[in-house]
Amino acid sequence: MDHCKTGPFSPLYQVLSFICVLTFVPSLSLAQADTYEFSPDYNCLTRGGNYTADSTFATNLNRLISSLSSLAPSSYGFYNISIGDPSEERANAIALCRREVRRDDCLSCVQTAAKDLTEQCPRRKEAVVWYTHCMFRYSNRSILGRTETSPTFSLISSEDIAGNRTVFESLRGQLLNRLKGMAATGGPRRQYAQGNGSAAPGYQSFYGSAQCTPDLSEQDCNDCLEFGFGSIPSCCDGSMGLRWFCPSCNFRFETWRFYELQADLEPDTPAPSPSPAPSNDTRVKPTPSNQTRAGKGKGESRIVVAIVIPLAFVVAFVACLCIFLKRKKRKSVLGKSRWSGTDANDELSKTESLLLEFGVLKAATNNFSSENELGRGGFGTVYKGVLHDGQEVAVKRLSEISGQGDNEFKNEVLLVAKLQHRNLVRLLGFCLEGQERILVYEFIKNSSLDHFIFDPEKRRLLDWGVRYKVIEGIARGLLYLHEDSRFRIIHRDLKASNILLGDDMNPKIADFGLAKLFETNNQQATHKFTNRIAGTYGYMAPEYAMRGQFSVKTDVFSFGVLVLEIITGKRNNDSQGEEYAEDLLTYVWRNWREDTVLSIIDPSLTTGSRNEILRSIHIGLLCVQENAVNRPTMATVAMMLSSFSLTLPMPSRPAFVLENSVGSNNFLSTSESTASRSEVLTVSVNDASFTELSPR
């Protein structure tokens, strides 16, 4: 402060403070620089199919990408380009920029996105990418004026809702709904709205924005945003801030003002007028030919204001910078960004914001003391740690070095850290020193699912409602990893000890992405092979355990085992030393075949929906079928769990079950027992009425 030459009681200090107050008070509580950037989210879509290098579509797409370099900047941040004969393989593209992005920057973003997208999605006829400032998509089909709500992409704040969530969500919904109506009626040039609304107790105000591609009708824009608002519980539930994107619309919600005021935005070009008229735009200097005496005076006054106001702002800004410079504090490594796992400046600062020194983690875990050990897994040992600021974390010390170099490892960690979902454990940082590879996660106090479900006393705390919530949450997390994240992640070690339970018993998948960190083969094939089997026997699909072949269906198998463990309360490999004891899959399949499946339900489940439990067993058996082709995808599983009108197919024999180990009794196939969600009955193993319903 000495270099500013002002004292707290000096006249200069008081004058400058007064100027600062007059200048900035109207927006001081609102103005925060939104410098947050995220890495591009590429989506290579399969619905359009593939094209060959010498095809007509390839030629048209290359011409389309090349034509972007000659485009003039759009006044409204929207581009619609089509190349080729409509009767042939025409290439169609749409691009949209955020409202605050200037025209030149918008076009530059679109050009970069288009070039990168075709490189990231070679031979795909349809793809979409989101950059921080723009969206670009192309297709072999007509996409102009058509609502597209898939795929979706979301980002959430690292801070959870504090206080009354019901009030928070209600007021958030009111603001977003108001903005939805404003955006939908924006017209054919720009369908965008921004604004603030009433805040819940504990927050100053709520801010939001909503945007559609302007080729949509008012109803289509409304429907698209309505779909997005309905997706909040599955992607961003409990988060204080969020961004949500789909090809046709996007919206954002924060508890701080992230957008610029309309007066500060680059103005839209006015629509052409039928007859020329003198411009009344205050940004255009009048020409001598149209200046009357009064007009000239008016023009001069505008010029003076244009000079004086910026000078006042500069003086006030410099003064305030000097006065308040000492109040600026450095934030901790794990808390410097409003968005988890990211610093808002550039890629280097993103890396530095996550990188932790080995000494810091060594001190946090008391030199990796066995007393702080939380568990061991296929990739290393987890310790509880407490950072210098008191934050509790889970520290995973990887057991061996991956085949990657330091830079590749950093890049993979950064990608994993950006994955945001309420059913995934958040990665906060990492350490890379010498031979050490350490990952730092958020600490979940309720421990893992296995500590509850396999404990005779603790599992009584998990009634059927909680267990079903856990099953649904795991399914949503896996679906995000398989289909909705930035890149496809196959967990390969999904098990009860890798499912952590939050304070509200919300399940969070841990160790996702570790298999990717250790995977050096970057081929994009649907099925991959590895010589490093890192899973846990009992949860491993047969093709993975015996041949090292893995795919998304590998995780589906593990999920099915988990579902059956949650319902029965039995471990999949719990033989208890008995020579001829049945494993879990054999036990469940035998009772399924013999129409006694209700007897496998955990006795501690004394209440719950019988039909819901039976349907969950059915889904579990579909997931553990021996042939991976027969197993459903996680998208199908999620639909089965949420839609009780959907008739389930019959499961075939699970893996590792010998046909002669179970009875060959014939059984009937019905769907009535799993068709309704409404029946809630008292459940007991001694209830003779259990035999009244066929599980199929």
Side-chain angles (χ1 to χ4, degrees):
M1 279 293 293
D2 294 339
H3 61 278
C4 292
K5 303 298 182 185
T6 59
F9 301 105
S10 67
L12 176 60
Y13 181 95
Q14 295 175 16
V15 170
L16 292 179
S17 297
F18 180 68
I19 294 175
C20 179
V21 169
L22 288 180
T23 306
F24 291 108
V25 159
S27 60
L28 188 60
S29 63
L30 303 178
Q32 296 187 34
D34 180 23
T35 56
Y36 171 72
E37 294 189 5
F38 55 82
S39 296
D41 182 68
Y42 300 100
N43 294 266
C44 311
L45 306 180
T46 58
R47 61 192 176 206
N50 296 331
Y51 65 87
T52 57
D54 58 350
S55 65
T56 304
F57 180 78
T59 302
N60 290 335
L61 181 60
N62 289 334
R63 288 174 55 203
L64 188 152
I65 302 302
S66 300
S67 71
L68 296 176
S69 60
S70 60
L71 288 180
S74 166
S75 298
Y76 302 96
F78 176 69
Y79 296 88
N80 165 44
I81 313 104
S82 293
I83 299 290
D85 192 317
S87 62
E88 297 180 353
E89 287 283 298
R90 191 174 192 175
N92 305 286
I94 281 179
L96 180 69
C97 290
R98 286 168 50 178
R99 172 64 180 96
E100 67 272 22
V101 179
R102 299 185 68 83
R103 295 164 196 163
D104 292 339
D105 295 334
C106 172
L107 181 56
S108 176
C109 179
V110 170
Q111 292 167 344
T112 302
K115 178 178 179 295
D116 291 349
L117 184 59
T118 53
E119 293 175 354
Q120 292 290 329
C121 302
R123 305 292 186 266
R124 287 292 172 85
K125 289 185 178 180
E126 188 163 358
V128 59
V129 61
W130 285 279
Y131 273 59
T132 303
H133 301 298
C134 68
M135 177 274 295
F136 179 83
R137 56 186 291 229
Y138 70 82
S139 176
N140 64 324
R141 59 190 175 88
S142 176
I143 53 179
L144 186 68
R146 299 187 178 184
T147 307
E148 295 283 354
T149 57
S150 176
T152 63
F153 169 49
S154 59
L155 295 164
I156 60 174
S157 167
S158 60
E159 300 177 55
D160 293 333
I161 297 172
N164 191 317
R165 275 186 57 174
T166 302
V167 175
F168 186 101
E169 292 169 353
S170 174
L171 293 173
R172 177 182 65 191
Q174 291 177 24
L175 172 60
L176 291 178
N177 281 323
R178 178 165 59 86
L179 295 175
K180 175 188 67 176
M182 295 167 59
T185 56
R189 294 186 179 86
R190 193 188 292 281
Q191 291 186 319
Y192 173 84
Q194 65 183 36
N196 64 302
S198 302
Y203 300 92
Q204 291 186 350
S205 191
F206 284 172
Y207 303 87
S209 66
Q211 183 180 30
C212 295
T213 56
D215 59 314
L216 297 187
S217 67
E218 179 178 340
Q219 185 61 50
D220 287 343
C221 177
N222 182 86
D223 292 345
C224 183
L225 290 171
E226 190 70 38
F227 173 83
F229 299 165
S231 302
I232 292 177
S234 60
C235 76
C236 321
D237 195 23
S239 179
M240 197 170 71
L242 62 94
R243 296 183 182 192
W244 186 91
F245 306 85
C246 78
S248 290
C249 65
N250 65 82
F251 64 90
R252 185 174 180 183
F253 174 85
E254 300 284 0
T255 55
W256 55 284
R257 203 199 85 198
F258 58 88
Y259 52 75
E260 296 182 49
L261 297 176
Q262 289 289 353
D264 300 323
L265 294 171
E266 188 174 39
D268 289 337
T269 300
S273 175
S275 58
S279 174
N280 290 324
D281 192 343
T282 58
R283 295 176 294 275
V284 180
K285 182 178 178 180
T287 60
S289 61
N290 63 9
Q291 285 181 351
T292 61
R293 181 176 182 84
K296 183 176 180 180
K298 188 176 181 181
E300 288 177 347
S301 68
R302 287 172 183 162
I303 295 172
V304 171
V305 171
I307 296 173
V308 171
I309 289 181
L311 286 176
F313 269 87
V314 170
V315 171
F317 175 76
V318 173
C320 292
L321 185 63
C322 290
I323 294 171
F324 298 110
L325 192 59
K326 280 190 174 181
R327 298 185 182 181
K328 185 177 180 181
K329 298 180 180 179
R330 289 180 57 87
K331 295 184 179 180
S332 65
V333 170
L334 298 181
K336 66 167 69 174
S337 173
R338 179 173 296 274
W339 297 82
S340 61
T342 308
D343 192 300
N345 296 323
D346 51 33
E347 287 301 320
L348 178 62
S349 61
K350 289 176 185 177
T351 304
E352 296 303 321
S353 71
L354 294 173
L355 191 59
L356 297 170
E357 295 181 359
F358 179 72
V360 172
L361 299 180
K362 186 176 179 181
T365 59
N366 191 20
N367 195 19
F368 300 98
S369 167
S370 58
E371 296 179 356
N372 287 359
E373 186 176 316
L374 296 175
R376 293 176 180 265
F379 293 104
T381 305
V382 184
Y383 301 87
K384 179 181 179 181
V386 181
L387 299 178
H388 58 83
D389 61 356
Q391 182 178 3
E392 294 181 321
V393 293
V395 180
K396 181 138 195 169
R397 194 178 191 182
L398 301 183
S399 56
E400 60 180 83
I401 302 174
S402 73
Q404 297 172 314
D406 289 358
N407 288 334
E408 290 80 6
F409 185 82
K410 285 181 182 178
N411 290 336
E412 293 289 3
V413 169
L414 288 171
L415 288 173
V416 173
K418 292 170 187 172
L419 299 182
Q420 300 288 326
H421 195 277
R422 71 185 305 262
N423 297 116
L424 301 181
V425 174
R426 196 164 71 248
L427 179 65
L428 302 177
F430 70 102
C431 172
L432 183 61
E433 288 188 21
Q435 302 298 307
E436 294 288 348
R437 299 285 194 276
I438 301 175
L439 301 174
V440 181
Y441 296 94
E442 64 174 320
F443 180 70
I444 308 296
K445 294 182 180 180
N446 269 348
S447 190
S448 53
L449 177 63
D450 60 321
H451 284 85
F452 285 86
I453 206 70
F454 302 133
D455 185 292
E457 296 301 323
K458 289 184 179 179
R459 69 176 175 224
R460 297 180 184 276
L461 301 174
L462 305 183
D463 59 22
W464 175 243
V466 173
R467 298 193 199 198
Y468 198 71
K469 176 183 177 181
V470 169
I471 292 172
E472 287 185 308
I474 299 171
R476 285 195 300 266
L478 278 180
L479 176 58
Y480 176 81
L481 292 177
H482 289 181
E483 299 188 18
D484 297 333
S485 62
R486 297 172 185 272
F487 47 84
R488 176 174 292 189
I489 290 183
I490 302 170
H491 194 289
R492 288 163 57 184
D493 196 19
L494 188 71
K495 55 186 177 180
S497 59
N498 275 339
I499 305 298
L500 306 184
L501 300 178
D503 292 337
D504 58 351
M505 289 299 179
N506 176 56
K508 290 177 177 283
I509 300 173
D511 281 5
F512 64 90
L514 279 186
K516 184 168 181 62
L517 291 174
F518 278 81
E519 184 58 47
T520 57
N521 183 1
N522 291 322
Q523 60 179 314
Q524 298 299 315
T526 303
H527 295 273
K528 296 184 181 180
F529 292 85
T530 181
N531 293 323
R532 186 180 189 279
I533 307 298
T536 303
Y537 287 104
Y539 292 96
M540 289 171 23
E543 69 275 9
Y544 182 51
M546 295 184 286
R547 300 190 301 275
Q549 179 183 358
F550 62 94
S551 67
V552 292
K553 297 297 185 73
T554 310
D555 284 348
V556 172
F557 183 92
S558 303
F559 173 78
V561 175
L562 259 177
V563 169
L564 298 178
E565 286 184 328
I566 291 170
I567 294 172
T568 63
K570 296 180 180 292
R571 294 182 185 273
N572 65 76
N573 54 2
D574 188 10
S575 61
Q576 297 181 343
E578 299 176 22
E579 185 176 356
Y580 300 106
E582 292 178 315
D583 62 86
L584 179 63
L585 298 188
T586 301
Y587 170 67
V588 174
W589 182 245
R590 177 177 60 80
N591 282 278
W592 176 270
R593 292 289 302 271
E594 295 175 359
D595 283 339
T596 57
V597 70
L598 292 168
S599 64
I600 73 171
I601 299 172
D602 179 7
S604 66
L605 283 176
T606 57
T607 60
S609 169
R610 177 191 298 184
N611 293 335
E612 211 167 56
I613 297 173
L614 287 173
R615 188 176 179 86
S616 299
I617 296 173
H618 195 155
I619 293 171
L621 286 172
L622 289 172
C623 292
V624 297
Q625 293 176 102
E626 186 168 22
N627 191 337
V629 175
N630 295 335
R631 298 173 208 149
T633 63
M634 288 312 303
T636 303
V637 169
M639 193 162 27
M640 289 175 174
L641 290 169
S642 61
S643 175
F644 279 73
S645 60
L646 185 66
T647 301
L648 306 184
M650 294 307 303
S652 59
R653 184 183 63 196
F656 309 115
V657 174
L658 299 177
E659 192 62 44
N660 60 4
S661 67
V662 296
S664 58
N665 298 6
N666 294 325
F667 51 88
L668 299 176
S669 172
T670 66
S671 61
E672 287 81 357
S673 64
T674 60
S676 172
R677 177 174 197 155
S678 60
E679 182 184 3
V680 179
L681 300 175
T682 300
V683 176
S684 168
V685 258
N686 298 320
D687 189 344
S689 64
F690 265 8
T691 59
E692 293 175 1
L693 292 177
S694 167
R696 296 167 295 283

